[in-house]
């Protein structure tokens, strides 16, 4: 009996010494209820569990996570236009307000550069892009630069080198490339400065592949999807392919929204709000070109979605359903499985996923 107790005690000690499995937290901005849902992704069950809800006091839409995963920034698109910086609790994923700072306008997209010192923002109604400073605690500070744009700036992100920044003009149907100085936070026009898309296509969201060889651009107005070759040394884009994200037989007004690659780069997904579907594409490893795989119904009006770091789950937010869905991803085929749904706040529109340390 003593030996058994000793063995049991030793087993308990070993178990206690093992590290706990890190939690994965999903943040969803809810514009009309003016809050952020904090949810835990249970990968074993393929479901979301409510953790918390944080009121931010404005029409919260685009979110951005700091490179060190310690801060979540949330842009408010109601006046006064501002960005709220919230610390992420590494144990629970809960949010605590660090501070807030003015934004130059209602911003459709925000992002943080690789140093964590600068916040980029693009304004759809204000036709501008801006750069704000970020202090050592992760709080956004004053506006450092404001650049007038062609109609309806929509997205802005830095490439992997953090020396080039790309932005889109939805109303101007073009993609602009900027040189970026991370020491000063200044943007200057690249040469060439832009690439033009088809008229009334509506350049919206874009992503780079991990190798930084290709850029994928989703156009809102015609729901087309472009593939560009990306020259990281020159900051140039060369069009390789055009395809569509619309399901067969579609007859409504296109309203494309978001796109993301799986972490392994094998599959790309895009959301379309009128049909409430997510289209899937296989990415050719050698050329980066896309092969359509079909469409999956999801939440009503899926404005934003994200893919977890394991590449096993896609989380989509439905603006019109006030819910989010977790779709399992088949790693072999890229097919999206039946969703597990969870009600959140009103008008959920942006999703960010963070693995806690």
């Amino acid at each position: 009996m003593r030996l058994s107790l000793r063995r049991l005690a030793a087993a308990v000690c070993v178990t206690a010494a093992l590290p706990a499995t890190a939690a994965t937290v999903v943040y969803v901005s809810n514009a009309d209820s003016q809050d952020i849902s904090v949810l835990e992704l249970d990968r074993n069950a393929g479901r979301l569990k409510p953790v918390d809800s944080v009121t931010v006091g404005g029409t919260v839409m685009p979110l951005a996570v700091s490179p060190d995963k310690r801060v979540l920034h949330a842009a408010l698109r109601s006046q006064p236009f501002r960005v709220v910086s919230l610390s992420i609790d590494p144990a629970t994923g809960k949010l605590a307000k660090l501070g807030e700072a003015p934004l130059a306008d209602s911003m459709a997209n925000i992002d943080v550069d690789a140093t964590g010192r600068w916040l980029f923002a693009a304004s759809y109604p204000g036709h501008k892009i801006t750069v704000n400073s970020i202090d050592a605690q992760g709080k956004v500070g004053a506006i450092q630069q404001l650049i007038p744009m062609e109609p309806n700036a929509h997205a802005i992100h830095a490439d992997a080198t953090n020396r080039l920044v790309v932005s889109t003009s939805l109303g101007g149907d073009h993609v602009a490339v900027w040189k970026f100085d991370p020491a000063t936070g200044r943007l200057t026009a690249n040469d060439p400065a832009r690439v033009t898309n088809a008229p009334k296509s509506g350049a919206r969201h874009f992503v780079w592949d991990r190798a930084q060889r290709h850029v994928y651009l989703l156009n809102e107005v015609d729901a087309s999807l472009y593939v560009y070759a990306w020259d990281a040394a020159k900051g140039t884009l060369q069009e390789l392919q055009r395809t569509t994200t619309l399901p067969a037989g579609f007859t409504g007004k296109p309203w494309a929204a978001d796109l993301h690659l799986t972490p392994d780069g094998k599959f790309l997904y895009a959301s379309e709000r009128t049909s409430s579907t997510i289209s899937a594409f296989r990415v050719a490893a050698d050329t980066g070109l896309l092969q359509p795989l079909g469409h999956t119904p999801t939440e009503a009006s899926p404005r934003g979605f994200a893919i977890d770091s394991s590449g096993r789950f896609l989380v989509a937010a439905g603006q019109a359903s006030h819910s989010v869905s977790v779709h399992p991803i088949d790693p072999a085929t890229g097919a999206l499985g039946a969703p597990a749904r969870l009600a959140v706040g009103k008008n959920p529109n942006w999703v960010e996923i963070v693995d806690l340390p």
Side-chain angles (χ1 to χ4, degrees):
M1 178 65 70
R2 289 179 182 174
L3 183 58
S4 298
L5 289 174
R6 287 173 183 170
R7 287 177 176 171
L8 178 60
V12 170
C13 290
V14 170
T15 302
L18 292 175
T21 302
T24 296
V25 180
V26 177
Y27 300 102
V28 180
S29 60
N30 304 299
D32 294 346
S33 52
Q34 302 188 353
D35 57 21
I36 299 172
S37 296
V38 182
L39 314 168
E40 182 179 350
L41 174 60
D42 182 341
R43 287 194 174 104
N44 291 327
R47 295 181 177 275
L48 294 169
K49 301 176 181 178
V51 173
D52 200 5
S53 179
V54 180
T55 300
V56 290
T59 304
V60 57
M61 297 190 79
L63 304 174
V65 180
S66 63
D68 61 10
K69 312 298 183 186
R70 295 180 179 180
V71 180
L72 178 73
H73 302 287
L76 308 186
R77 300 190 70 179
S78 53
Q79 293 187 347
F81 302 123
R82 59 203 190 278
V83 57
V84 179
S85 301
L86 305 121
S87 64
I88 298 174
D89 187 311
T92 65
K94 292 185 177 182
L95 303 171
K97 185 176 179 179
L98 289 171
E100 59 181 59
L103 290 173
D105 218 307
S106 168
M107 297 301 181
N109 187 213
I110 59 173
D111 202 1
V112 182
D113 88 306
T115 71
R117 295 177 53 204
W118 310 104
L119 181 88
F120 306 119
S123 176
Y124 179 92
H127 321 300
K128 60 178 69 81
I129 60 174
T130 61
V131 182
N132 283 58
S133 62
I134 301 176
D135 69 16
Q137 286 71 49
K139 294 182 294 184
V140 176
I143 300 165
Q144 302 294 305
Q145 187 178 18
L146 186 154
I147 301 175
M149 287 285 291
E150 306 235 351
N152 313 126
H154 209 291
I156 182 167
H157 306 287
D159 75 341
T161 70
N162 210 42
R163 295 284 180 176
L164 292 165
V165 168
V166 172
S167 65
T168 58
S169 169
L170 193 150
D173 299 314
H174 75 255
V175 179
V177 182
W178 308 86
K179 296 177 182 177
F180 177 61
D181 183 349
T184 64
R186 301 291 294 181
L187 295 169
T188 56
N190 191 53
D191 183 18
R194 65 177 61 174
V195 60
T196 301
N197 306 329
K200 298 183 179 180
S201 54
R204 182 178 167 91
H205 285 193
F206 63 92
V207 292
W208 279 274
D209 64 353
R210 180 182 290 181
Q212 300 283 284
R213 294 171 50 215
H214 300 96
V215 171
Y216 299 91
L217 170 71
L218 181 64
N219 295 290
E220 176 178 320
V221 179
D222 66 0
S224 61
L225 182 58
Y226 287 26
V227 182
Y228 294 102
W230 169 251
D231 187 321
K234 299 178 181 178
T236 56
L237 294 159
Q238 179 184 0
E239 185 180 325
L240 300 177
Q241 182 186 14
R242 296 185 190 186
T243 185
T244 184
T245 63
L246 296 173
F250 180 89
T251 58
K253 181 180 179 181
W255 200 17
D258 203 5
L259 83 165
H260 293 282
L261 285 158
T262 52
D264 61 12
K266 292 181 179 180
F267 303 104
L268 183 143
Y269 302 88
S271 63
E272 201 285 318
R273 286 171 283 185
T274 301
S275 62
S276 295
T277 59
I278 295 176
S279 53
F281 301 84
R282 184 183 300 276
V283 181
D286 52 349
T287 64
L289 299 182
L290 301 175
Q291 174 192 352
L293 297 176
H295 298 75
T296 301
T298 188
E299 294 291 334
S301 190
R303 183 185 180 106
F305 69 92
I307 297 170
D308 81 310
S309 62
S310 75
R312 294 170 50 207
F313 299 101
L314 184 152
V315 181
Q319 283 191 288
S321 62
H322 314 301
S323 297
V324 292
S325 275
V326 180
H327 292 268
I329 299 174
D330 186 309
T333 67
L336 298 181
R341 303 184 65 204
L342 178 71
V344 286
K346 295 180 180 179
N347 191 358
N349 60 89
W350 201 279
V351 181
E352 292 288 344
I353 304 177
V354 175
D355 291 328
L356 299 182

